[in-house]
Amino acid sequence: GQPAPIDIRISGPDSDAAFALANKLVHDLHQVPGVVDAHVFQVPDAPTLNVDVDRALASQFGLGQRATASDVLITTNSSAQSAPNFWVDPKNNVSYPLVVQLPTYHIESSHDLWTMPLTTSGSGGSSRELLMNIAKFKRGTAPLVMSQLNIRPVFDVDADVQGRDLYSAAKAIDDVINADKPPSSSAMTVHLSGQIETMIDSYAGLFGGMALA
């Protein structure tokens, strides 16, 4: 099923242009009475904090890229992905995941991440080293939710209806889509779906059946 009663799907070869059109549709939908909670479902530019490990420097402390990434993952998330473990209750034979996780309130700032201790292994035995000594940190962006249709990027503008019937809202949304419709040279398509599409198909089938009867 669709995540919202109103779903406008934008697809095109240029991801940036399709996302810009989706944001424009969201802005214009906010001006339509009765249409609420308009937003773009996909998030192509979520903020990230990148950790770039200096492999040559890390190797001098007995640290590898895999071990360092595993330590960061377990500390910031849990061991569920890097070292999955399960315990089976002998009474009911139900398995429960066993994970190791640092309480989230222990990481309140980026400085807490910089001073994360890493376990090193060398000829002199194991020791501790701070993450900031072998890695650099920088901010960036990364896609959080992405969709594709026939290898082309797709963006869904989802919205809801409040205090207005769906049919009249659909006519106003069609006017917005026609006003923002991209030129044919852009090879972008805009398709209105969701419960509106189901409603139109149901009415068409009903009226067609009545006409044949």
Side-chain angles (χ1 to χ4, degrees), residues 21 24-26 28-29 175-183 190:
L21 177 58
K24 189 176 189 308
L25 286 170
V26 168
D28 293 342
L29 286 178
D175 294 338
V176 172
I177 294 176
N178 291 330
D180 296 339
K181 190 174 182 179
V190 181

Side-chain angles (χ1 to χ4, degrees), residues 155-167:
F155 294 94
D156 293 287
V157 177
D158 296 333
D160 207 339
V161 177
Q162 180 178 350
R164 187 177 183 179
D165 64 282
L166 188 60
Y167 180 75

Side-chain angles (χ1 to χ4, degrees), residues 182-188:
S184 57
S185 59
S186 64
M188 284 195 297

Side-chain angles (χ1 to χ4, degrees), residues 2-3 11 33 36 43 65 69 85 97 101 113 116-117 121 129 145-147 152 154-156 172 180 182 185 193 196:
Q2 298 291 345
S11 176
V36 297
V43 183
Q65 185 75 8
N85 194 9
Q101 182 178 5
L113 183 62
M116 178 190 306
S121 59
E129 189 63 43
V145 179
M146 293 297 293
S147 302
R152 300 176 66 177
V154 172
F155 294 94
D156 293 287
D180 296 339
S185 59
S193 60
I196 291 180

Side-chain angles (χ1 to χ4, degrees), residues 96-180:
Y96 298 92
L98 297 179
V99 299
V100 178
Q101 182 178 5
L102 181 71
T104 55
Y105 54 80
H106 283 181
I107 302 180
E108 298 180 347
S109 65
S110 57
H111 181 268
D112 295 331
L113 183 62
W114 298 341
T115 56
M116 178 190 306
L118 303 172
T119 302
T120 64
S121 59
S123 57
S126 61
S127 60
R128 298 278 182 173
E129 189 63 43
L130 298 181
L131 180 61
M132 62 185 298
N133 293 336
I134 63 168
K136 294 181 179 180
F137 301 84
K138 62 180 181 181
R139 297 186 182 274
T141 58
L144 184 62
V145 179
M146 293 297 293
S147 302
Q148 287 186 338
L149 179 64
N150 297 330
I151 320 180
R152 300 176 66 177
V154 172
F155 294 94
D156 293 287
V157 177
D158 296 333
D160 207 339
V161 177
Q162 180 178 350
R164 187 177 183 179
D165 64 282
L166 188 60
Y167 180 75
S168 63
K171 296 180 65 177
I173 294 171
D174 279 334
D175 294 338
V176 172
I177 294 176
N178 291 330
D180 296 339

Side-chain angles (χ1 to χ4, degrees), residues 23-110:
N23 284 322
K24 189 176 189 308
L25 286 170
V26 168
H27 177 270
D28 293 342
L29 286 178
H30 286 154
Q31 313 303 320
V32 178
V35 177
V36 297
D37 300 332
H39 64 281
V40 182
F41 177 73
Q42 288 78 8
V43 183
D45 53 356
T48 61
L49 182 62
N50 301 329
V51 181
D52 296 331
V53 178
D54 188 333
R55 297 188 180 186
L57 183 59
S59 63
Q60 298 180 13
F61 295 99
L63 287 168
Q65 185 75 8
R66 181 181 181 86
T68 304
S70 178
D71 286 348
V72 174
L73 178 62
I74 292 176
T75 303
T76 56
N77 189 3
S78 69
S79 62
Q81 296 181 3
S82 59
N85 194 9
F86 298 89
W87 173 75
V88 179
D89 190 343
K91 295 182 179 180
N92 54 17
N93 293 327
V94 176
S95 61
Y96 298 92
L98 297 179
V99 299
V100 178
Q101 182 178 5
L102 181 71
T104 55
Y105 54 80
H106 283 181
I107 302 180
E108 298 180 347
S109 65
S110 57

Side-chain angles (χ1 to χ4, degrees), residues 190-212:
V190 181
H191 178 68
L192 178 60
S193 60
Q195 293 182 6
I196 291 180
E197 185 179 32
T198 304
M199 177 190 66
I200 295 175
D201 292 342
S202 299
Y203 282 153
L206 175 62
F207 295 150
M210 293 175 62
L212 292 175

